[in-house]
Amino acid sequence: MSSDVGRRPSRDAHLALELAMELALAEAQGALSTGDVPIGAVVLSPRGEVIATGRNEREARFDPTAHAEVVALRRAGEALGDWQLNGCTLVVTLEPCTMCAGAVVLSRVSRLVFGAWDPKAGAAGSLWDVVRDRRLNHRPEVVTGLREAECAALLTEFFAGRR
């Protein structure tokens, strides 16, 4: 797995990311009520304000593309009236899959922050690294490991209960 890339956020920016991850974790908890995998996401404006949130809704909507990141990015685009999310930050509890990593690149998000690594399907440094692929036209800054243990524990508990 690759290490954090780019500069470390300032103390104020780090606090905003911590608060956003707290909200993402709350969104992930909300996914449990519909039987969805508990993953949550938050989009922050360039000033660090919450624009949109999302949680996995695949089971709730019968939609294979309703991953937390895609839901949050769609809502952010609607809130801003623009699909280009330049300057925005996506905070998510789990490393994005290939579909979500592609959505991050296509949305022009400036920073991707995630908690837990996904060694089975991750596309931001684990299995693939779509978000930093030099062949693509956009590469966001990537910050990893924010509240990693907490994010991972939520998923571990969910899957342990399904076995």
Side-chain angles (χ1 to χ4, degrees):
M1 291 180 232
S2 59
S3 62
D4 295 353
V5 173
R7 57 187 158 66
R8 283 282 185 207
S10 69
R11 181 179 293 250
D12 289 342
H14 185 73
L15 179 58
L17 294 178
E18 284 280 344
L19 293 172
M21 185 58 84
E22 182 70 28
L23 185 53
L25 282 162
E27 285 290 324
Q29 286 284 345
L32 294 170
S33 67
T34 57
D36 278 288
V37 177
I39 300 170
V42 174
V43 179
L44 299 175
S45 74
R47 291 176 293 191
E49 300 160 333
V50 175
I51 298 171
T53 62
R55 65 181 70 154
N56 271 3
E57 297 180 2
R58 294 184 309 168
E59 300 296 332
R61 293 183 182 213
F62 311 109
D63 179 355
T65 68
H67 289 204
E69 301 93 325
V70 171
V71 171
L73 292 170
R74 284 179 179 156
R75 289 178 179 160
E78 290 170 3
L80 295 175
D82 194 347
W83 63 268
Q84 295 186 49
L85 303 178
N86 297 307
C88 292
T89 298
L90 175 65
V91 178
V92 63
T93 57
L94 182 67
E95 177 185 7
C97 69
T98 53
M99 176 183 71
C100 294
V104 167
V105 171
L106 293 172
S107 69
R108 311 290 196 274
V109 165
S110 295
R111 181 187 297 151
L112 168 64
V113 178
F114 65 87
W117 290 94
D118 185 355
K120 293 182 180 179
S126 287
L127 193 55
W128 296 285
D129 201 350
V130 172
V131 297
R132 290 180 285 226
D133 190 319
R134 296 208 177 274
R135 295 169 292 182
L136 299 176
N137 64 338
H138 178 74
R139 288 176 297 284
E141 174 187 3
V142 177
V143 178
T144 65
L146 182 62
R147 297 178 74 166
E148 180 175 4
E150 198 173 344
C151 293
L154 184 59
L155 290 159
T156 300
E157 289 170 25
F158 174 78
F159 287 112
R162 295 185 86 96
R163 292 185 183 122

